[in-house]
């Protein structure tokens, strides 16, 4: 059904997108509602942990997930170097955790000091207590894409750590819902 | 802050995940809240269009997105063969469209007969009228991952076609919100 609407906007990007193109893209892409998660990995004796919204489940067979990480970030370095990493999906009650781990330049020392978490074993990545679901993953592929790396991993172990009736933390138009 | 909780479950997957592993994964992965979109591509004279939740914005520089599609699907064939394809992000008012285009075995003839849509030009992919945002993309990379293909595309054109005050259609635990 072809249709006409008066609410339409359109912007054709320059061959080399301008800063203005990027700003418009940023605003439009923020219209994707996204569940909020935390990616964790050990880096030597340290925990690296960052709030992300760019994750997805690729396949059930075998259980396979993907996260998109800024290529020059510490979390990208930690995840691609570690033999295991984790994704925890946050309930709305953990918005303070999402804020804390979403800040640029979070401290490495004491990063998880106030974040309830647990591990499957002493060397494992931190899993966020209260997570709607958590997944421990082993990397199977890393693809470069523009400014980011796409890290594909197979699920090694998984579970839930949520209170009954927990609701998801969702981000839409740069705000939490 | 290490913590103990009585609500935790844990499942370690078999080296070759069993069907029971896959079922548990399916249930846990459904805890990721996701904005609902429609992917469209022309295939010859036909429009192919499917409801998806597995999409993400990779980068602003240049504006780059990704969709994950079942490798053996018609939409994967259409998207990877077309020189342009599109992603439209749905408002909650378009839940009937999401249902219609989310059904297995949708008809090829008349697929968009009852779906309000428009195009930038006669050969372009259909864009869903009412979309919170739409993006027309050119594929820059295709990566195989388990049962799926990850299609990475650069944004060629983009815009909005939403009514004022439109809210996103969100899927959580296999239900629309």
């Amino acid at each position: 059904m072809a249709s006409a609407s008066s609410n339409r906007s359109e912007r054709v990007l320059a061959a080399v997108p301008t800063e203005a193109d990027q700003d418009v893209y940023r605003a439009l892409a923020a219209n994707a509602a996204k569940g909020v998660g935390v990616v964790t990995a050990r880096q030597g004796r340290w925990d690296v942990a960052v709030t992300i919204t760019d994750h997805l489940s690729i396949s059930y067979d075998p259980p396979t997930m993907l996260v998109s990480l800024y290529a020059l970030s510490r979390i990208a370095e930690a995840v691609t170097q570690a033999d295991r990493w984790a994704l925890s999906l946050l309930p709305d009650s953990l918005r303070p955790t999402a804020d804390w781990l979403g800040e640029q330049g979070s401290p490495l020392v004491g990063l998880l000091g106030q974040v309830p978490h647990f591990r499957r074993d002493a060397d494992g990545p931190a899993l966020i207590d209260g997570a709607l679901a958590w997944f421990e993953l082993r990397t199977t592929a890393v693809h470069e894409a523009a400014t980011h790396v796409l890290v594909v991993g197979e699920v090694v172990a998984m579970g839930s750590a949520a209170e009954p009736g927990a609701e998801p933390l969702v981000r839409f138009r740069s705000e939490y819902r």
Side-chain angles (χ1 to χ4, degrees), chain A:
Chain A
M1 182 163 68
S3 69
S5 161
S6 56
N7 294 308
R8 288 189 205 139
S9 68
E10 174 176 320
R11 184 184 186 94
V12 178
L13 281 74
V16 176
T18 63
E19 275 192 38
D21 285 338
Q22 293 179 29
D23 289 344
V24 173
Y25 174 73
R26 221 178 283 248
L28 286 169
N31 283 289
K34 299 170 178 185
V36 178
V38 170
V39 174
T40 47
R42 298 279 290 211
Q43 194 171 41
R45 56 184 288 209
W46 305 110
D47 284 299
V48 184
V50 170
T51 302
I52 68 159
T53 50
D54 296 327
H55 56 86
L56 53 84
S57 169
I58 294 177
S59 173
Y60 304 131
D61 185 18
T64 305
M65 308 186 93
L66 174 152
V67 294
S68 172
L69 302 171
Y70 182 57
L72 302 180
S73 63
R74 181 186 296 270
I75 189 68
E77 186 182 81
V79 164
T80 53
Q81 290 176 352
D83 59 341
R84 288 179 292 161
W85 50 281
L87 174 65
S88 299
L89 301 177
L90 297 188
D92 57 4
S93 60
L94 288 183
R95 182 171 160 171
T97 297
D99 283 335
W100 169 247
L101 297 176
E103 283 174 21
Q104 298 285 330
S106 307
L108 204 52
V109 180
L111 181 65
L112 298 181
Q114 302 301 317
V115 177
H117 64 279
F118 60 104
R119 302 174 200 277
R120 293 183 54 239
D121 52 88
D123 294 330
L127 306 168
I128 307 300
D129 205 11
L132 298 171
W134 58 263
F135 306 89
E136 203 174 289
L137 299 115
R138 188 185 53 234
T139 301
T140 54
V142 179
H143 304 292
E144 294 181 17
T147 53
H148 281 57
V149 286
L150 308 173
V151 185
V152 179
E154 278 186 22
V155 178
V156 176
M158 59 192 174
S160 171
E163 301 295 322
E167 293 284 310
L169 183 62
V170 175
R171 205 165 165 84
F172 177 66
R173 291 189 183 154
S174 308
E175 291 186 353
Y176 290 117
R177 289 275 173 126

